Amino acid sequence: MSNKSIRLLGNGLTYVLLTIVSAVILMPFVWMLTTSLKDQTKIFMFPPQWIPSPIVWSNYSQVFKVQPLFVTHYANSLYIAIVVTVGTGMMIPNEVTIIPNFIWFSQLGLVNNHFPLIIPPMLGAGGIFGVFLLRQFYITIPMELDEAAEMDGSTPWQTFWRIMVPMATPAFATLSIFTFLHSWEDFLDPLIYISSSKLFTLPIAMKLFTDTAGTDWHLLMAASVMATVPLLLVFFFAQKKFIDGIATTGLK
């Protein structure tokens, strides 16, 4: 067998393996999507019904009838995630500071609003991931660039803003995706700080579809599909930079 044939066979096996792995990873999302379009009586059928029959599009509109504040909860999650992503510092694990922070915010009268969900992550209460990600990326940049910029009369700030920041775009894209994902899915902080239903974020709002009578699975899945859309959009528009950041961060 020639080298070309071996290479083609290897590529073919790689694509088959990747296709199988992708199908396994996508299966929960496909199940969520199909469940969101089913009649409630057919959700737990056996064998499972992968293609809804009939397709119940009204489940999506029913979400807003059952939970009239769902749009508000959606908007709350969106703007909190965006603000935190733009301003995050990510230095100290959130679980370490959540109790003293709650006491502090309570004494300041800042509980039951979005302030505790935005400011602490921006000032460094999100974890060490971002610090090490950017640090690992920046140490791969040759020092000769700094020296060349200094010889051209550039100040340290100009060197950072005009050279270092543009070069670190893949790392910033990677950090932005992870930060947005963490803020979007955060359940603990809203549960601790928020008591007014109008201020709920989506993770808390999802619990409203469950009560003592049971869970409206078809509506919960419809709400989950809508909650997944921003995450897919963020990754879709930043995927190239995200992959570059993961591939290059830490390589010297």
Side-chain angles (χ1 to χ4, degrees):
M1 185 179 292
S2 64
N3 291 335
K4 183 177 180 180
S5 299
I6 295 175
R7 187 167 56 254
L8 290 175
L9 178 60
N11 290 339
L13 292 175
T14 300
Y15 283 118
V16 170
L17 179 62
L18 290 175
T19 300
I20 294 173
V21 172
S22 299
V24 172
I25 294 174
L26 288 174
M27 191 175 297
F29 178 77
V30 173
W31 179 254
M32 177 179 68
L33 182 61
T34 58
T35 303
S36 71
L37 296 172
K38 293 179 182 177
D39 183 88
Q40 188 173 15
T41 60
K42 297 185 178 182
I43 293 176
F44 296 105
M45 287 181 60
F46 188 83
Q49 186 184 58
W50 285 95
I51 301 178
S53 179
I55 296 178
V56 187
W57 295 104
S58 60
N59 286 344
Y60 285 85
S61 60
Q62 191 69 15
V63 168
F64 301 98
K65 293 179 181 178
V66 173
Q67 298 296 338
L69 292 177
F70 188 78
V71 174
T72 302
H73 302 153
Y74 206 100
N76 290 340
S77 286
L78 190 61
Y79 97 81
I80 289 173
I82 292 174
V83 173
V84 171
T85 300
V86 172
T88 189
M90 303 190 77
M91 290 291 290
I92 303 173
N94 185 41
E95 290 77 11
V96 174
T97 60
I98 193 166
I99 294 178
N101 278 345
F102 178 79
I103 296 173
W104 181 45
F105 286 128
S106 297
Q107 293 173 345
L108 294 175
L110 295 176
V111 176
N112 197 30
N113 60 57
H114 292 152
F115 184 91
L117 307 182
I118 296 175
I119 301 303
M122 291 176 61
L123 297 180
I128 61 175
F129 172 75
V131 174
F132 284 103
L133 177 74
L134 294 178
R135 187 258 181 191
Q136 289 299 104
F137 189 90
Y138 277 122
I139 64 176
T140 65
I141 300 177
M143 289 297 296
E144 288 79 0
L145 289 176
D146 286 352
E147 297 169 357
E150 185 178 358
M151 292 178 62
D152 289 338
S154 177
T155 65
W157 173 252
Q158 289 174 329
T159 301
F160 174 74
W161 187 252
R162 295 180 179 178
I163 298 177
M164 298 302 171
V165 171
M167 292 186 66
T169 300
F172 282 123
T174 303
L175 178 58
S176 297
I177 290 176
F178 281 115
T179 303
F180 188 93
L181 179 63
H182 176 269
S183 182
W184 185 261
E185 295 182 339
D186 186 16
F187 179 83
L188 180 60
D189 284 345
L191 182 65
I192 296 293
Y193 292 113
I194 304 299
S195 58
S196 174
S197 60
K198 291 184 178 180
L199 299 176
F200 284 168
T201 55
L202 283 178
I204 303 297
M206 295 297 180
K207 293 292 295 181
L208 301 179
F209 292 99
T210 301
D211 54 27
T212 55
T215 301
D216 295 324
W217 289 105
H218 58 311
L219 302 183
L220 180 60
M221 293 299 104
S224 299
V225 170
M226 290 186 282
T228 304
V229 171
L231 301 179
L232 297 177
L233 292 176
V234 169
F235 182 77
F236 176 79
F237 288 108
Q239 61 177 321
K240 185 179 185 303
K241 296 296 183 182
F242 172 74
I243 294 172
D244 291 343
I246 292 294
T248 60
T249 298
L251 300 179
K252 193 167 184 179

PDB file of all heavy atoms in Angstrom, residues 118-136:
ATOM      1  N   ILE A 118     -22.520  41.504  38.937  1.00  0.00           N
ATOM      2  CA  ILE A 118     -21.704  42.140  37.907  1.00  0.00           C
ATOM      3  C   ILE A 118     -20.355  42.607  38.435  1.00  0.00           C
ATOM      4  O   ILE A 118     -19.303  42.268  37.875  1.00  0.00           O
ATOM      5  CB  ILE A 118     -22.470  43.331  37.282  1.00  0.00           C
ATOM      6  CG1 ILE A 118     -23.731  42.840  36.568  1.00  0.00           C
ATOM      7  CG2 ILE A 118     -21.576  44.091  36.308  1.00  0.00           C
ATOM      8  CD1 ILE A 118     -24.610  43.951  36.035  1.00  0.00           C
ATOM      9  N   ILE A 119     -20.377  43.388  39.518  1.00  0.00           N
ATOM     10  CA  ILE A 119     -19.152  44.036  39.985  1.00  0.00           C
ATOM     11  C   ILE A 119     -18.108  43.055  40.520  1.00  0.00           C
ATOM     12  O   ILE A 119     -16.933  43.143  40.133  1.00  0.00           O
ATOM     13  CB  ILE A 119     -19.486  45.118  41.042  1.00  0.00           C
ATOM     14  CG1 ILE A 119     -20.423  46.166  40.433  1.00  0.00           C
ATOM     15  CG2 ILE A 119     -18.213  45.778  41.544  1.00  0.00           C
ATOM     16  CD1 ILE A 119     -19.882  46.839  39.185  1.00  0.00           C
ATOM     17  N   PRO A 120     -18.448  42.104  41.416  1.00  0.00           N
ATOM     18  CA  PRO A 120     -17.404  41.183  41.911  1.00  0.00           C
ATOM     19  C   PRO A 120     -16.678  40.410  40.808  1.00  0.00           C
ATOM     20  O   PRO A 120     -15.443  40.335  40.837  1.00  0.00           O
ATOM     21  CB  PRO A 120     -18.181  40.245  42.842  1.00  0.00           C
ATOM     22  CG  PRO A 120     -19.323  41.073  43.326  1.00  0.00           C
ATOM     23  CD  PRO A 120     -19.723  41.908  42.141  1.00  0.00           C
ATOM     24  N   PRO A 121     -17.378  39.831  39.800  1.00  0.00           N
ATOM     25  CA  PRO A 121     -16.632  39.154  38.726  1.00  0.00           C
ATOM     26  C   PRO A 121     -15.723  40.102  37.941  1.00  0.00           C
ATOM     27  O   PRO A 121     -14.630  39.723  37.535  1.00  0.00           O
ATOM     28  CB  PRO A 121     -17.752  38.589  37.825  1.00  0.00           C
ATOM     29  CG  PRO A 121     -18.920  38.458  38.719  1.00  0.00           C
ATOM     30  CD  PRO A 121     -18.835  39.613  39.665  1.00  0.00           C
ATOM     31  N   MET A 122     -16.187  41.352  37.741  1.00  0.00           N
ATOM     32  CA  MET A 122     -15.367  42.317  37.011  1.00  0.00           C
ATOM     33  C   MET A 122     -14.109  42.687  37.787  1.00  0.00           C
ATOM     34  O   MET A 122     -13.058  42.984  37.196  1.00  0.00           O
ATOM     35  CB  MET A 122     -16.182  43.572  36.708  1.00  0.00           C
ATOM     36  CG  MET A 122     -17.285  43.377  35.693  1.00  0.00           C
ATOM     37  SD  MET A 122     -18.297  44.861  35.460  1.00  0.00           S
ATOM     38  CE  MET A 122     -17.049  46.013  34.863  1.00  0.00           C
ATOM     39  N   LEU A 123     -14.195  42.664  39.127  1.00  0.00           N
ATOM     40  CA  LEU A 123     -13.063  43.057  39.964  1.00  0.00           C
ATOM     41  C   LEU A 123     -12.194  41.878  40.385  1.00  0.00           C
ATOM     42  O   LEU A 123     -11.266  42.048  41.164  1.00  0.00           O
ATOM     43  CB  LEU A 123     -13.568  43.804  41.200  1.00  0.00           C
ATOM     44  CG  LEU A 123     -14.300  45.113  40.922  1.00  0.00           C
ATOM     45  CD1 LEU A 123     -14.749  45.766  42.218  1.00  0.00           C
ATOM     46  CD2 LEU A 123     -13.418  46.074  40.126  1.00  0.00           C
ATOM     47  N   GLY A 124     -12.521  40.679  39.892  1.00  0.00           N
ATOM     48  CA  GLY A 124     -11.614  39.574  40.128  1.00  0.00           C
ATOM     49  C   GLY A 124     -12.138  38.418  40.924  1.00  0.00           C
ATOM     50  O   GLY A 124     -11.347  37.612  41.421  1.00  0.00           O
ATOM     51  N   ALA A 125     -13.461  38.272  41.080  1.00  0.00           N
ATOM     52  CA  ALA A 125     -13.996  37.176  41.896  1.00  0.00           C
ATOM     53  C   ALA A 125     -14.497  36.023  41.048  1.00  0.00           C
ATOM     54  O   ALA A 125     -15.431  35.342  41.394  1.00  0.00           O
ATOM     55  CB  ALA A 125     -15.131  37.695  42.777  1.00  0.00           C
ATOM     56  N   GLY A 126     -13.881  35.770  39.908  1.00  0.00           N
ATOM     57  CA  GLY A 126     -14.395  34.741  39.024  1.00  0.00           C
ATOM     58  C   GLY A 126     -13.560  33.485  38.912  1.00  0.00           C
ATOM     59  O   GLY A 126     -13.997  32.509  38.334  1.00  0.00           O
ATOM     60  N   GLY A 127     -12.326  33.491  39.430  1.00  0.00           N
ATOM     61  CA  GLY A 127     -11.469  32.325  39.285  1.00  0.00           C
ATOM     62  C   GLY A 127     -10.130  32.702  38.669  1.00  0.00           C
ATOM     63  O   GLY A 127      -9.935  33.816  38.213  1.00  0.00           O
ATOM     64  N   ILE A 128      -9.190  31.755  38.654  1.00  0.00           N
ATOM     65  CA  ILE A 128      -7.838  32.042  38.203  1.00  0.00           C
ATOM     66  C   ILE A 128      -7.635  31.729  36.725  1.00  0.00           C
ATOM     67  O   ILE A 128      -6.556  31.977  36.190  1.00  0.00           O
ATOM     68  CB  ILE A 128      -6.832  31.227  39.028  1.00  0.00           C
ATOM     69  CG1 ILE A 128      -7.078  29.724  38.838  1.00  0.00           C
ATOM     70  CG2 ILE A 128      -6.910  31.614  40.502  1.00  0.00           C
ATOM     71  CD1 ILE A 128      -6.057  28.843  39.528  1.00  0.00           C
ATOM     72  N   PHE A 129      -8.660  31.208  36.072  1.00  0.00           N
ATOM     73  CA  PHE A 129      -8.495  30.745  34.697  1.00  0.00           C
ATOM     74  C   PHE A 129      -8.031  31.864  33.768  1.00  0.00           C
ATOM     75  O   PHE A 129      -7.083  31.693  32.991  1.00  0.00           O
ATOM     76  CB  PHE A 129      -9.815  30.156  34.187  1.00  0.00           C
ATOM     77  CG  PHE A 129      -9.794  29.817  32.718  1.00  0.00           C
ATOM     78  CD1 PHE A 129      -9.117  28.694  32.276  1.00  0.00           C
ATOM     79  CD2 PHE A 129     -10.431  30.625  31.790  1.00  0.00           C
ATOM     80  CE1 PHE A 129      -9.090  28.380  30.925  1.00  0.00           C
ATOM     81  CE2 PHE A 129     -10.397  30.317  30.447  1.00  0.00           C
ATOM     82  CZ  PHE A 129      -9.732  29.191  30.011  1.00  0.00           C
ATOM     83  N   GLY A 130      -8.695  33.023  33.832  1.00  0.00           N
ATOM     84  CA  GLY A 130      -8.368  34.110  32.917  1.00  0.00           C
ATOM     85  C   GLY A 130      -6.965  34.633  33.097  1.00  0.00           C
ATOM     86  O   GLY A 130      -6.268  34.947  32.108  1.00  0.00           O
ATOM     87  N   VAL A 131      -6.519  34.735  34.339  1.00  0.00           N
ATOM     88  CA  VAL A 131      -5.173  35.237  34.617  1.00  0.00           C
ATOM     89  C   VAL A 131      -4.124  34.329  33.995  1.00  0.00           C
ATOM     90  O   VAL A 131      -3.208  34.783  33.291  1.00  0.00           O
ATOM     91  CB  VAL A 131      -4.949  35.361  36.137  1.00  0.00           C
ATOM     92  CG1 VAL A 131      -3.505  35.737  36.442  1.00  0.00           C
ATOM     93  CG2 VAL A 131      -5.892  36.397  36.725  1.00  0.00           C
ATOM     94  N   PHE A 132      -4.245  33.028  34.227  1.00  0.00           N
ATOM     95  CA  PHE A 132      -3.256  32.104  33.701  1.00  0.00           C
ATOM     96  C   PHE A 132      -3.365  31.963  32.187  1.00  0.00           C
ATOM     97  O   PHE A 132      -2.349  31.758  31.503  1.00  0.00           O
ATOM     98  CB  PHE A 132      -3.397  30.739  34.374  1.00  0.00           C
ATOM     99  CG  PHE A 132      -2.840  30.707  35.765  1.00  0.00           C
ATOM    100  CD1 PHE A 132      -3.676  30.754  36.863  1.00  0.00           C
ATOM    101  CD2 PHE A 132      -1.470  30.656  35.978  1.00  0.00           C
ATOM    102  CE1 PHE A 132      -3.164  30.742  38.145  1.00  0.00           C
ATOM    103  CE2 PHE A 132      -0.946  30.639  37.260  1.00  0.00           C
ATOM    104  CZ  PHE A 132      -1.792  30.682  38.347  1.00  0.00           C
ATOM    105  N   LEU A 133      -4.564  32.051  31.637  1.00  0.00           N
ATOM    106  CA  LEU A 133      -4.727  31.964  30.187  1.00  0.00           C
ATOM    107  C   LEU A 133      -3.969  33.089  29.500  1.00  0.00           C
ATOM    108  O   LEU A 133      -3.183  32.860  28.571  1.00  0.00           O
ATOM    109  CB  LEU A 133      -6.214  32.022  29.813  1.00  0.00           C
ATOM    110  CG  LEU A 133      -6.506  32.005  28.309  1.00  0.00           C
ATOM    111  CD1 LEU A 133      -6.268  30.605  27.755  1.00  0.00           C
ATOM    112  CD2 LEU A 133      -7.934  32.439  28.017  1.00  0.00           C
ATOM    113  N   LEU A 134      -4.206  34.337  29.949  1.00  0.00           N
ATOM    114  CA  LEU A 134      -3.545  35.478  29.326  1.00  0.00           C
ATOM    115  C   LEU A 134      -2.051  35.489  29.625  1.00  0.00           C
ATOM    116  O   LEU A 134      -1.234  35.865  28.775  1.00  0.00           O
ATOM    117  CB  LEU A 134      -4.191  36.782  29.804  1.00  0.00           C
ATOM    118  CG  LEU A 134      -5.642  36.986  29.355  1.00  0.00           C
ATOM    119  CD1 LEU A 134      -6.197  38.280  29.922  1.00  0.00           C
ATOM    120  CD2 LEU A 134      -5.728  37.011  27.826  1.00  0.00           C
ATOM    121  N   ARG A 135      -1.685  35.075  30.844  1.00  0.00           N
ATOM    122  CA  ARG A 135      -0.264  35.030  31.185  1.00  0.00           C
ATOM    123  C   ARG A 135       0.473  34.054  30.282  1.00  0.00           C
ATOM    124  O   ARG A 135       1.554  34.346  29.751  1.00  0.00           O
ATOM    125  CB  ARG A 135      -0.123  34.635  32.654  1.00  0.00           C
ATOM    126  CG  ARG A 135       1.311  34.715  33.171  1.00  0.00           C
ATOM    127  CD  ARG A 135       1.952  33.347  33.258  1.00  0.00           C
ATOM    128  NE  ARG A 135       3.312  33.399  33.760  1.00  0.00           N
ATOM    129  CZ  ARG A 135       4.155  32.373  33.743  1.00  0.00           C
ATOM    130  NH1 ARG A 135       3.758  31.201  33.262  1.00  0.00           N
ATOM    131  NH2 ARG A 135       5.385  32.512  34.205  1.00  0.00           N
ATOM    132  N   GLN A 136      -0.096  32.859  30.071  1.00  0.00           N
ATOM    133  CA  GLN A 136       0.537  31.868  29.214  1.00  0.00           C
ATOM    134  C   GLN A 136       0.643  32.346  27.779  1.00  0.00           C
ATOM    135  O   GLN A 136       1.588  32.007  27.074  1.00  0.00           O
ATOM    136  CB  GLN A 136      -0.240  30.549  29.281  1.00  0.00           C
ATOM    137  CG  GLN A 136      -0.113  29.809  30.598  1.00  0.00           C
ATOM    138  CD  GLN A 136       1.323  29.437  30.897  1.00  0.00           C
ATOM    139  OE1 GLN A 136       1.976  30.062  31.724  1.00  0.00           O
ATOM    140  NE2 GLN A 136       1.818  28.432  30.214  1.00  0.00           N
TER     141      GLN A 136
END
